[in-house]
Amino acid sequence: MSVIRVRFAPSPTGYLHIGGLRTALYCYLFARSQGGKLVLRIEDTDRTRFVKDAEDDIVQNLAWCGLDVDESPMLGGPFAPYRQSERQNLYRKHAESLVDSGHAYYAFDSSDSIAELRKRNKAYDASTRLQMDNSLTHPKEVVSMRLESGEEYVVRLCVPEDVTIQFDDLIKGAVKVDSANIDDQVLVKSDGMPTYHLANVVDDHHMAITHVIRGDEWIPSTPKHILLYQAFGWQPPAMAHLPLILSPTGGKLSKRSAQRQGIPINVSDYLSKGYEPQAVINFLALLGWNPGTEDEVFTLEELVSTFSLGRVGSAPAKFDLDKLNWFNAQHLRRLDIEVLLERVRPFLEEHGIAVQDAYIRKVCLLVHDRLQHAKDLATNFSYCFADPVTFDPKGVKKRWKSDAASLVNDYSTRLDALTSFSEDALEFELRDLAASRKVGAGRIIHPVRLAVSGTTAGPGLFALLRVLGQRTCVRRLRNAVTKLG
């Protein structure tokens, strides 16, 4: 059996987006689960939309997610080069062979004549091609003369009439298309660069790709590719078209709809917002695929051992930001504290928080199970690093009763006198104070939490007080008494 070879072939016309990452992930999981090879090919033939640093962004974000490839423009490989802009001679040769065999032709049509054709709601196909300016409507001598003179032209696929093109999609099942619904696709543009259709087919063949896994927006193009494989006399690879990713409210997850609903669209945004790469990967894997069990949380290695294309559904999947955040919390909790320390440090620095690693480590241990994103330590738990400036108004109204100032002040006096600032000592003093004042412990616990953190929720109170330290706790309690009265 031949080695499974899968390619991820992004175009550097923009930064790697979340839909592209899911395609890359499925390519990776299939290749690795089958003991195959994963190829990164850069399809950079569209020079008008080329973005200079897009390729670097693609490579860096794949690495961030742990999706290593076997062959690429950087790594090289047996089928180099892996940038389409460096393979033009190969495409030109194959385009000429298609013209020679009658499966393609030169078209000299002006932009005005094409516009007029579209205006009449007609496609450039078998029913119109003999009315247009191309090599099928002129003697060979005239065509040769025009080519030699440097006149602009494109190469078009000559789609046969009255045939049915069909292929078996590994996800969608059997797909059949009548050739009457396919126009004579441009294969080589007037600038000499191939279109996606020609370059894609030629490269997949010459790079020995066995499986093409891509988004289902490419299904309408696949019959054209099948025609090209037939014209060249090549065996097409197996095809698998992934279901669409929908926005939470329905409709395709576009850049505009994502922004409107607060969903990061570029993969680099997930890094900057403190998402865990394993969480993003875990979430995307389940956005169209299911493991056949109730399990939800997977590492990349576990996904490889579980994944199969047969369990990828054909129905679109909705992007659920809340679910992604849940996954992120699960994977954060799995991190070793030393790893978590490295994750949170950039966000602390971004917020001007400069403290010793030993203290950050204590805070991480304290709130590890309450973090949803790495940035939360610097935002949601900022009170661990600075005295609260404000106090939650609802918390004050609910928890700061008429005797709160007196109780908090008495507790601060007890804390100030402690020689051991342990959790046991902190709890003993609070409960002893409650008993002596003939109130429930909650009557002190809630205003004390409000006083030291400015909020009414958080980690265990006595653990929080221990981490904050004796001097800080006494100061904050007394400040709150002064401010809240």
Side-chain angles (χ1 to χ4, degrees):
M1 182 178 175
S2 61
V3 175
I4 298 294
R5 289 178 58 81
V6 188
R7 48 72 164 177
F8 175 55
S11 175
T13 54
Y15 301 131
L16 182 63
H17 58 80
I18 203 69
L21 179 60
R22 188 191 64 166
T23 299
L25 171 62
Y26 281 24
C27 289
Y28 175 91
L29 294 177
F30 180 71
R32 294 290 176 261
S33 66
Q34 300 297 312
K37 300 289 186 181
L38 177 61
V39 176
L40 172 62
R41 186 172 73 221
I42 302 299
E43 300 196 336
D44 57 346
T45 58
D46 188 349
R47 308 309 291 181
T48 60
R49 297 169 58 217
F50 178 77
V51 175
K52 186 178 181 182
D53 57 344
E55 182 179 318
D56 289 340
D57 178 83
I58 292 165
V59 172
Q60 291 164 9
N61 282 298
L62 290 179
W64 177 64
C65 293
L67 306 184
D68 57 294
V69 300
D70 300 294
E71 302 164 28
S72 72
M74 301 79 205
L75 297 173
F79 302 103
Y82 292 92
R83 289 188 189 91
Q84 288 188 335
S85 59
E86 300 169 7
R87 300 169 65 85
Q88 288 190 65
N89 289 339
L90 182 65
Y91 308 133
R92 187 178 298 111
K93 181 183 76 172
H94 283 292
E96 290 172 356
S97 76
L98 288 173
V99 173
D100 291 342
S101 65
H103 292 100
Y105 58 91
Y106 300 112
F108 303 97
D109 311 279
S110 67
S111 57
D112 288 342
S113 62
I114 296 295
E116 180 60 31
L117 185 69
R118 303 299 185 215
K119 190 175 179 181
R120 289 185 279 127
N121 296 317
K122 290 193 174 183
Y124 203 133
D125 57 17
S127 65
T128 60
R129 71 170 72 110
L130 295 183
Q131 304 165 29
M132 305 299 288
D133 185 11
N134 56 59
S135 59
L136 301 177
T137 58
H138 297 286
K140 288 185 178 180
E141 299 78 17
V142 173
V143 172
S144 297
M145 184 177 64
R146 295 178 73 175
L147 293 174
E148 290 170 6
S149 69
E151 186 174 341
E152 273 196 2
Y153 67 89
V154 299
V155 176
R156 287 184 177 273
L157 176 66
C158 191
V159 176
E161 293 186 75
D162 302 323
V163 299
T164 299
I165 301 99
Q166 62 183 50
F167 63 96
D168 290 318
D169 191 279
L170 297 178
I171 296 172
K172 305 291 184 180
V175 178
K176 296 181 179 181
V177 178
D178 193 302
S179 63
N181 297 317
I182 303 174
D183 63 356
D184 287 3
Q185 182 67 51
V186 173
L187 302 178
V188 178
K189 294 174 285 188
S190 59
D191 62 1
M193 294 294 280
T195 61
Y196 168 80
H197 307 285
L198 176 65
N200 170 279
V201 168
V202 170
D203 285 343
D204 283 347
H205 173 75
H206 284 281
M207 293 181 180
I209 300 302
T210 61
H211 292 73
V212 170
I213 302 172
R214 58 191 177 193
D216 68 0
E217 66 269 22
W218 292 109
I219 286 182
S221 297
T222 304
K224 302 170 188 177
H225 302 167
I226 298 298
L227 286 175
L228 284 170
Y229 280 109
Q230 293 173 350
F232 286 127
W234 298 337
Q235 178 66 33
M239 303 284 181
H241 289 89
L242 307 176
L244 279 175
I245 299 178
L246 302 179
S247 76
T249 55
K252 185 178 179 181
L253 183 68
S254 63
K255 185 175 182 179
R256 180 176 296 177
S257 66
Q259 289 176 337
R260 191 167 55 244
Q261 296 171 80
I263 297 172
I265 196 68
N266 291 330
V267 178
S268 55
D269 293 333
Y270 290 82
L271 170 61
S272 65
K273 289 180 180 294
Y275 281 94
E276 283 300 298
Q278 291 271 338
V280 176
I281 288 301
N282 192 165
F283 170 72
L284 288 177
L286 294 172
L287 208 60
W289 168 82
N290 77 82
T293 67
E294 295 300 314
D295 296 330
E296 288 190 287
V297 182
F298 295 90
T299 63
L300 183 58
E301 292 73 20
E302 290 166 343
L303 286 171
V304 168
S305 65
T306 311
F307 184 81
S308 71
L309 275 178
R311 300 203 69 87
V312 176
S314 59
K318 281 189 177 182
F319 193 104
D320 186 340
L321 190 58
D322 289 338
K323 190 67 173 181
L324 171 59
N325 290 334
W326 180 84
F327 274 116
N328 205 66
Q330 304 310 306
H331 283 275
L332 268 180
R333 291 168 193 174
R334 290 183 167 200
L335 293 182
D336 178 81
I337 289 298
E338 295 305 313
V339 177
L340 181 60
L341 182 66
E342 294 305 313
R343 292 283 201 276
V344 302
R345 185 182 286 113
F347 297 101
L348 294 175
E349 293 172 351
E350 182 182 315
H351 285 77
I353 299 171
V355 292
Q356 296 294 321
D357 279 0
Y359 182 69
I360 301 174
R361 194 175 289 111
K362 289 180 182 179
V363 177
C364 286
L365 286 166
L366 176 70
V367 302
H368 197 174
D369 289 347
R370 293 175 174 271
L371 294 176
Q372 196 169 66
H373 304 92
K375 66 177 182 179
D376 290 350
L377 201 68
T379 54
N380 297 353
F381 299 99
S382 60
Y383 58 78
C384 290
F385 307 99
D387 292 0
V389 178
T390 60
F391 301 89
D392 175 30
K394 291 183 179 179
V396 172
K397 184 177 181 180
K398 184 177 182 180
R399 300 300 186 185
W400 198 266
K401 304 298 184 182
S402 58
D403 58 353
S406 174
L407 290 168
V408 170
N409 190 61
D410 285 356
Y411 189 51
S412 72
T413 300
R414 287 178 175 242
L415 296 194
D416 200 19
L418 284 177
T419 55
S420 171
F421 210 69
S422 66
E423 289 181 42
D424 287 343
L426 293 166
E427 184 172 4
F428 174 81
E429 292 297 337
L430 187 143
R431 296 192 182 282
D432 188 61
L433 173 61
S436 68
R437 295 286 296 269
K438 294 183 173 53
V439 297
R443 194 81 170 185
I444 306 174
I445 288 173
H446 296 303
V448 165
R449 179 185 294 282
L450 186 65
V452 297
S453 69
T455 185
T456 57
L461 176 63
F462 304 112
L464 172 61
L465 297 179
R466 176 184 56 77
V467 169
L468 290 175
Q470 189 171 17
R471 292 176 60 187
T472 296
C473 287
V474 171
R475 182 182 68 251
R476 291 187 183 186
L477 291 173
R478 290 175 178 171
N479 284 346
V481 169
T482 300
K483 290 183 177 181
L484 297 176

